[in-house]
């Protein structure tokens, strides 16, 4: 499994902790940056990670900014991206089991690194349950298709 990571300056430090953890767990990681705490615009990094997930170069993405909100808003503009802002493990489990999220977003100013690692672990260990949840995801897909016709 290959995992794409990206953050703005606010998320840089937490991203480094998560990259280290994932590598220790023998996951293959692509770090799309940023690589410092110099000011950066979160949509630029969201864009890189979303493209990696849509192209299937990576199976999942993790995006981090100060609150996780900006990354979540930006990522969910992409067709086929289901990004879930998670601040505790229960939501991370449901994001995979119910929503088949392909990206989680985290807020470095909201969620401490220990909890963030637990969230990442739970998300990766959970499986999509399909069934009625797939029916609902199909309806989201229909919304995306309808939006494309308007554009
Ligand atoms: C940066 O100050 C901050 O606005 C950004 O990291 C994020 O929280 C936006 O949603």
């Amino acid at each position: 499994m290959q995992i794409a990571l990206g953050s703005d300056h606010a998320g840089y430090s937490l991203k480094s902790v998560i990259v280290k953890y994932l590598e220790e767990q023998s996951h293959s990681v692509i770090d799309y940056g940023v690589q410092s705490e110099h000011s950066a615009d979160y949509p630029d990094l969201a864009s890189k990670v979303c493209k990696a997930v849509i192209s299937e170069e990576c199976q999942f993405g993790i995006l981090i900014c100060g609150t996780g909100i900006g990354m979540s808003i930006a990522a969910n503009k992409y067709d086929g991206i289901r990004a879930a802002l998670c601040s505790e493990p229960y939501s991370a489990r449901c994001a995979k089991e119910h929503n088949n999220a392909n990206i989680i977003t985290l807020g470095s100013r909201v969620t401490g690194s220990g909890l963030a690692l637990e969230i990442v672990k739970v998300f990766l260990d959970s499986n999509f349950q399909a069934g009625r949840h797939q029916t609902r995801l199909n309806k989201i897909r229909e919304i995306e298709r309808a939006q494309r016709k308007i554009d």
Side-chain angles (χ1 to χ4, degrees), residues 5-53:
L5 280 102
S7 76
D8 69 358
H9 55 291
Y12 166 69
S13 165
L14 179 57
K15 176 168 65 60
S16 306
V17 171
I18 295 174
V19 166
K20 183 169 174 283
Y21 167 78
L22 291 172
E23 286 175 344
E24 281 167 6
Q25 300 299 310
S26 305
H27 288 296
S28 172
V29 166
I30 302 185
D31 183 351
Y32 287 92
V34 297
Q35 302 301 350
S36 79
E37 290 183 346
H38 287 292
S39 184
D41 298 331
Y42 58 81
D44 297 338
L45 289 307
S47 184
K48 290 182 184 176
V49 167
C50 288
K51 285 175 184 166
V53 172

Side-chain angles (χ1 to χ4, degrees), residues 14-128:
L14 179 57
K15 176 168 65 60
S16 306
V17 171
I18 295 174
V19 166
K20 183 169 174 283
Y21 167 78
L22 291 172
E23 286 175 344
E24 281 167 6
Q25 300 299 310
S26 305
H27 288 296
S28 172
V29 166
I30 302 185
D31 183 351
Y32 287 92
V34 297
Q35 302 301 350
S36 79
E37 290 183 346
H38 287 292
S39 184
D41 298 331
Y42 58 81
D44 297 338
L45 289 307
S47 184
K48 290 182 184 176
V49 167
C50 288
K51 285 175 184 166
V53 172
I54 290 166
S55 69
E56 296 181 0
E57 186 182 6
C58 294
Q59 284 66 57
F60 298 110
I62 300 173
L63 285 167
I64 309 157
C65 61
T67 58
I69 296 170
M71 285 297 196
S72 163
I73 292 171
N76 280 310
K77 298 294 177 197
Y78 279 85
D79 245 26
I81 292 297
R82 295 175 299 280
L85 170 57
C86 297
S87 54
E88 31 67 38
Y90 176 74
S91 295
R93 180 158 67 81
C94 290
K96 179 69 79 59
E97 290 184 350
H98 294 199
N99 311 112
N100 202 16
N102 46 18
I103 290 186
I104 56 168
T105 75
L106 297 164
S108 61
R109 295 172 181 161
V110 179
T111 307
S113 57
L115 186 55
L117 292 181
E118 212 177 311
I119 289 167
V120 169
K121 182 180 180 339
V122 166
F123 179 74
L124 294 176
D125 287 349
S126 301
N127 295 305
F128 180 47

